[in-house]
Amino acid sequence: MKKYILTFCLLLLITCCALSQGKAIPYGNNPAASRYYNIRGLKMYCEVYGKGKPLLMIHGNGGDISAFTKNIPYFSKRYMVIVPDSRAQGKSTDSRDSLSFEMMADDFAGLLDAMHIDSSYVIGWSDGGINALLLAMRHPDKVIKLASTGANLWPDSTALIPSEWKDERDYYNANKDKEFATAKEKNDWKIFMLDWLQPNVPLSALKRIKCPSLIIGGDHDLIVIQHTVLIYQHIPHAYLWIVPNSPHGTLQAHADEFNKKVDEFFTQPFHNWN
């Protein structure tokens, strides 16, 4: 009888372990992997997964860590993946009125300092792609290589497809005179205004990016393809990848291909990569 009880308990333990391993990790809401860092007067929420060379992932406007749900599992097998919520987004609350991409780029440099990390690989999507570029411009020693997808350098109809720019213009006109009653409404407006007024990066400034850079866009992106090409052309050591049949979320719609291609770019010598 004891033998059968022991066998049953062992099978139960194996089953529980398997179920536990199969359970989805709540990226963006995982106490086991999270910590707050005091960065430049901001309480920044951050989760870390895996071991190896550091890889910083930066999400888009109004998003949070969960944007990388399809990417963290792949990269955390090879890297120490660092995924913060950007200033005033997710769990990184910020009550100040002002917000800029330059401010956020400095936040990410400060986060790496707080973690005692000299330099990191960087993946940025949308606003995070802008932040990746600005991080490499403002803190070049912090970035080993970067992959930026869906980024723009200025906020008008030459950078955004006409329908997206019109939607943003209509939203601005409908809400510009509104008095926001709650802190959340004020914060949401601040996040919207970030993309309505910014970024304002001249093409000539991209020459300050010294690290190898992979510039990515979808062929059905919110960002005009010609604008993505301009970004690529003005970075000294850059490759361009326009993802076929892809919307703005290249890293979500084509996650497997995105993960593999970006990983290859990070691990192979720049001049041998294609």
Side-chain angles (χ1 to χ4, degrees), residues 82-97:
I82 305 160
V83 222
D85 281 341
S86 298
R87 177 182 289 263
Q89 296 161 78
K91 292 182 172 64
S92 297
T93 57
D94 177 31
S95 60
R96 281 174 282 192
D97 294 332

Side-chain angles (χ1 to χ4, degrees), residues 12-270:
L12 182 61
L13 178 61
I14 292 172
T15 302
C16 289
C17 288
L19 289 172
S20 176
Q21 291 174 357
K23 185 178 180 181
I25 296 174
Y27 296 114
N29 190 30
N30 185 5
S34 68
R35 179 179 168 182
Y36 282 94
Y37 290 87
N38 292 316
I39 309 293
R40 295 165 22 84
L42 167 72
K43 193 175 181 182
M44 177 174 277
Y45 178 81
C46 181
E47 295 180 1
V48 177
Y49 298 92
K51 296 180 179 179
K53 294 181 179 179
L55 168 58
L56 174 67
M57 293 184 174
I58 311 174
H59 65 75
N61 185 281
D64 58 28
I65 292 166
S66 65
F68 296 105
T69 296
K70 294 184 177 181
N71 314 107
I72 295 172
Y74 177 93
F75 285 100
S76 61
K77 295 175 183 177
R78 298 161 171 79
Y79 302 85
M80 178 177 69
V81 178
I82 305 160
V83 222
D85 281 341
S86 298
R87 177 182 289 263
Q89 296 161 78
K91 292 182 172 64
S92 297
T93 57
D94 177 31
S95 60
R96 281 174 282 192
D97 294 332
S98 62
L99 183 64
S100 72
F101 287 104
E102 290 78 8
M103 185 185 297
M104 287 190 284
D106 292 347
D107 290 341
F108 299 124
L111 174 64
L112 294 178
D113 283 340
M115 298 180 71
H116 306 290
I117 294 172
D118 293 332
S119 59
S120 175
Y121 294 92
V122 180
I123 295 174
W125 172 40
S126 195
D127 276 20
I130 301 168
N131 281 316
L133 298 175
L134 281 167
L135 179 61
M137 291 164 57
R138 295 170 68 84
H139 305 274
D141 293 340
K142 291 293 184 189
V143 185
I144 303 169
K145 289 184 179 181
L146 71 84
S148 171
T149 183
N152 60 296
L153 299 183
W154 47 80
D156 64 21
S157 58
T158 66
L160 307 177
I161 60 172
S163 58
E164 175 66 16
W165 188 81
K166 181 180 182 299
D167 287 345
E168 290 191 7
R169 183 193 63 190
D170 292 346
Y171 184 83
Y172 171 76
N173 288 333
N175 291 277
K176 63 182 179 180
D177 297 321
K178 183 178 178 180
E179 292 189 11
F180 300 104
T182 67
K184 184 181 184 306
E185 287 178 338
K186 292 176 182 177
N187 192 71
D188 289 348
W189 181 248
K190 179 173 67 174
I191 296 298
F192 167 77
M193 288 299 292
L194 175 70
D195 277 2
W196 177 246
L197 298 176
Q198 300 178 52
N200 295 285
V201 180
L203 287 168
S204 59
L206 295 176
K207 295 179 180 179
R208 295 177 3 221
I209 298 177
K210 303 304 180 185
C211 67
S213 304
L214 178 57
I215 304 304
I216 307 167
D219 64 350
H220 291 84
D221 210 312
L222 300 178
I223 310 301
V224 176
I225 290 179
Q226 292 86 342
H227 188 77
T228 302
V229 172
L230 280 176
I231 295 174
Y232 149 72
Q233 289 175 334
H234 285 78
I235 296 175
H237 306 289
Y239 275 105
L240 175 67
W241 179 28
I242 300 299
V243 186
N245 304 310
S246 179
H248 189 51
T250 55
L251 74 176
Q252 297 172 337
H254 300 273
D256 291 343
E257 185 181 10
F258 182 95
N259 295 340
K260 182 179 178 182
K261 202 171 189 76
V262 171
D263 185 30
E264 288 175 350
F265 178 73
F266 285 163
T267 56
Q268 294 181 13
F270 177 72

